[in-house]
């Protein structure tokens, strides 16, 4: 069974993620497109990341699109997700197919379908694709040999880079970067951020060094996730060589990792907060900040102080993108605690490259460290501390916990009474204005996530301890 999670369909290469399944999913997408558009007017960009065989899967997908009379624009090189998303909007394509498993380990690959609005396909669209997939047999798949597709111009090699680079230079204050004289270290984790993030820093006149630019389909034996545990080499480089900042992007460059000048990892929650404050202060933007349900309420506290409304969404950037598209003049910023972010005037999709460059702008314009900026914000809002635990559980334990959440809603956590349960995505138990705990099953891997937030580290640790016990049925 092919199922789309929070960000597309993913599977283990050669086990679930096979040529045959790629052909089935592409045929389902082609059916969907041909229902809505005339074949002669439908163009789809097809991209891929640096994973094992990603370019081969992309080529096979282009052959199926061409076989269905749909023009496939196949990227010439491994391309970041935000670049593909921007090209869909800029070039007015009907959609995009991107072969990436983002931050997941090297064993996985994935297929993400983006609609013509540039954001990840919404549930009503992916449900249709799943329904088509269930009924498609081998005889139903229409495909043409690659060279025939090239000759008929139903397959064209494509480079979406130029328009994206131009757009980023419109969104970020490059004048401030050029004046700043700051030094930045970058780790692209063997992913698609190479020659994008570092090239933009070069264009801004920023002295920088980039590590892990080479393609490694095994990502050093792990996962291309810009998490604190994966960025030890970048932290060492920042501290050793006295860089002002450290930046990282994941495998498809839609997520970010930020290191402060002292080597401290700045969480995505904190990055969203700092950028909301910065955009309001420097651009005068007011309106809406969108965040996913398990993202910090620190944003809400700041928003209340600066006259901004907060919209809470389910997990999955498609929901934030939907808010953005429907409120283009009011939207300020949207973000997720997992490392996704976009701003007004950009794409309804995560962009790790933009997030990094905006943080460079913040430091350049404020002439402060990120730690200093966070202290300034806390003077307005009070203390907020947040954490997340991941539990990789066997299927029987996962099933037992699902039953627990469904049938045994707790009334107290860590000795604190629960006031409200928010169930738009997972279970989020609100204790009071300063304390909450959330439980959610990951959409892309077999993991239960426990989120907690408080106004003190002591309370936070109690919540996390109680949350772990609850997961294991204690």
């Amino acid at each position: 069974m092919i199922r789309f999670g929070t960000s597309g369909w993913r599977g283990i290469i050669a086990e679930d993620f096979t040529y045959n399944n790629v052909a089935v999913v592409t045929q389902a997408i082609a059916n969907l497109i041909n229902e809505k558009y005339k074949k002669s007017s439908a163009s789809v960009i097809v991209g891929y990341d640096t994973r094992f065989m990603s370019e081969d899967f992309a080529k096979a997908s282009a052959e199926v699109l061409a076989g269905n009379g749909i023009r496939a624009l196949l990227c010439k090189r491994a391309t970041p997700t935000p670049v593909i998303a921007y090209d869909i909007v800029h070039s007015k394509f009907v959609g995009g197919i991107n072969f990436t498993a983002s931050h997941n380990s090297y064993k996985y690959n994935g297929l993400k379908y983006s609609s013509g609005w540039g954001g990840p396909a919404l549930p009503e669209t992916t449900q249709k694709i799943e329904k088509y997939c269930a009924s498609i047999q081998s005889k139903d798949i229409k495909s043409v040999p690659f060279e025939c597709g090239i000759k008929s111009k139903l397959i064209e090699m494509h480079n979406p880079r130029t328009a994206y680079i131009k757009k980023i230079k419109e969104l970020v204050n490059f004048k401030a970067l050029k004046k700043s004289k700051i030094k930045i270290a970058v780790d692209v984790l063997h992913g698609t951020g190479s020659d994008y993030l570092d090239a933009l820093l070069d264009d801004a006149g920023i002295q920088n060094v980039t590590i892990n630019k080479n393609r490694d389909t095994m990502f050093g034996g792990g996962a291309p996730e810009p998490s604190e545990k994966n960025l030890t080499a970048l932290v060492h480089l920042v501290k050793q060589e006295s860089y002002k900042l450290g930046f990282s992007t994941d495998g498809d460059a839609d997520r970010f990792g930020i290191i402060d000048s002292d080597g401290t990892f700045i969480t995505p929650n904190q990055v969203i907060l700092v950028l909301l404050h910065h955009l309001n202060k420097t651009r005068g933007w007011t309106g809406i900040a969108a965040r996913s349900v398990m993202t910090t309420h620190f944003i809400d506290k700041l928003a209340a102080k600066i006259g901004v409304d907060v919209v809470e969404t389910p997990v999955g950037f498609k929901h934030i993108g939907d808010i953005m598209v429907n409120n283009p003049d009011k939207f300020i910023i949207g973000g997720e605690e997992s490392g996704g972010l976009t701003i007004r005037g950009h794409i309804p999709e995560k962009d790790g490259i933009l997030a990094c460059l905006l943080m460079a702008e913040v430091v350049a314009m404020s002439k402060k460290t990120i730690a200093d900026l966070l202290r300034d914000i806390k003077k307005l809002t009070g203390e907020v501390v947040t954490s997340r635990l991941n539990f990789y559980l066997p299927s029987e334990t996962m099933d037992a916990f699902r039953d627990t959440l469904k049938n045994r809603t707790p009334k107290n956590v860590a000795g604190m009474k629960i006031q409200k349960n928010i169930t738009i995505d997972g279970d989020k138990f609100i204790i009071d204005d300063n304390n909450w705990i959330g439980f959610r099953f990951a959409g892309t891997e077999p993991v239960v996530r426990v989120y907690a937030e408080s106004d003190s580290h002591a309370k936070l640790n109690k919540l996390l301890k109680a949350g772990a016990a609850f997961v294991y049925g204690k």
Side-chain angles (χ1 to χ4, degrees), residues 156-449:
E156 295 181 19
M157 302 309 294
H158 182 63
N159 182 5
R161 177 188 175 88
T162 302
Y164 173 82
I165 295 291
K166 180 181 178 183
K167 183 63 177 179
I168 293 298
K169 291 179 179 179
E170 293 171 358
L171 293 169
V172 178
N173 188 340
F174 268 60
K175 287 183 180 179
L177 295 183
K178 288 178 179 178
K179 289 179 181 178
S180 67
K181 308 297 183 185
I182 60 177
K183 291 168 51 182
I184 296 174
V186 178
D187 185 351
V188 291
L189 294 172
H190 308 287
T192 59
S194 177
D195 295 324
Y196 275 92
L197 178 53
D198 49 336
L200 281 160
L201 290 172
D202 287 340
D203 289 350
I206 298 290
Q207 184 180 343
N208 67 92
V209 64
T210 302
I211 59 175
N212 294 320
K213 287 189 65 170
N214 63 302
R215 183 182 184 185
D216 178 355
T217 59
M218 296 184 71
F219 305 108
E225 181 179 8
S227 61
E228 185 172 9
K229 71 174 184 177
N230 288 343
L231 297 181
T232 53
L234 181 61
V235 168
H236 177 76
L237 184 59
V238 168
K239 293 168 70 175
Q240 187 86 359
E241 303 294 333
S242 300
Y243 284 95
K244 193 70 173 179
L245 290 164
F247 290 156
S248 183
T249 50
D250 70 339
D252 63 328
D254 67 347
R255 300 188 185 210
F256 58 86
I258 308 293
I259 305 297
D260 206 358
S261 58
D262 64 352
T264 299
F265 179 79
I266 305 301
T267 69
N269 278 323
Q270 293 170 324
V271 171
I272 300 164
L273 182 80
V274 168
L275 287 180
L276 172 59
H277 186 254
H278 175 75
L279 293 170
N280 173 259
K281 184 177 179 181
T282 62
R283 289 157 171 77
W285 288 359
T286 58
I288 295 171
R291 60 160 180 77
S292 57
V293 63
M294 299 300 178
T295 299
T296 180
H297 289 202
F298 206 160
I299 294 165
D300 304 51
K301 290 179 179 292
L302 174 62
K305 295 292 183 180
I306 61 177
V308 168
D309 296 323
V310 174
V311 176
E312 186 173 68
T313 74
V315 175
F317 212 80
K318 53 190 172 239
H319 301 292
I320 289 174
D322 194 37
I323 298 295
M324 178 184 184
V325 168
N326 288 304
N327 301 274
D329 298 325
K330 294 182 179 179
F331 186 87
I332 303 169
I333 191 170
E336 293 188 305
E337 56 79 32
S338 56
L341 182 149
T342 192
I343 66 168
R344 179 186 297 179
H346 196 34
I347 49 172
E349 175 62 282
K350 301 187 289 285
D351 191 340
I353 297 167
L354 173 68
C356 289
L357 291 166
L358 285 172
M359 288 301 285
E361 178 191 307
V362 170
V363 170
M365 292 182 71
S366 68
K367 296 181 173 57
K368 294 182 177 181
T369 65
I370 302 171
D372 289 337
L373 293 165
L374 288 168
R375 278 191 286 270
D376 291 344
I377 294 171
K378 286 182 181 181
K379 290 176 184 177
L380 290 174
T381 64
E383 182 66 85
V384 181
V385 286
T386 308
S387 189
R388 183 184 89 180
L389 300 176
N390 295 329
F391 295 93
Y392 291 79
L393 304 175
S395 59
E396 61 271 17
T397 309
M398 295 272 278
D399 292 340
F401 184 55
R402 279 193 179 91
D403 291 338
T404 298
L405 278 176
K406 186 177 180 180
N407 303 313
R408 286 179 47 207
T409 301
K411 295 182 179 180
N412 296 275
V413 177
M416 295 180 279
K417 187 177 179 180
I418 292 169
Q419 303 295 330
K420 183 180 179 182
N421 183 14
I422 297 173
T423 58
I424 63 171
D425 196 332
D427 284 81
K428 180 177 174 181
F429 300 108
I430 305 297
I431 296 164
D432 54 38
D433 289 343
N434 298 316
N435 298 277
W436 61 269
I437 187 167
F439 302 88
R440 183 179 176 274
F441 296 91
T444 57
E445 52 190 333
V447 175
V448 172
R449 305 197 196 282

Side-chain angles (χ1 to χ4, degrees), residues 21 70 93 124 138 183 187 233 268 277 340 348 356-357 372 414 463 471:
N21 281 343
I70 298 168
F93 296 141
E124 56 263 33
S138 296
K183 291 168 51 182
D187 185 351
H277 186 254
C356 289
L357 291 166
D372 289 337
L463 286 170
V471 167

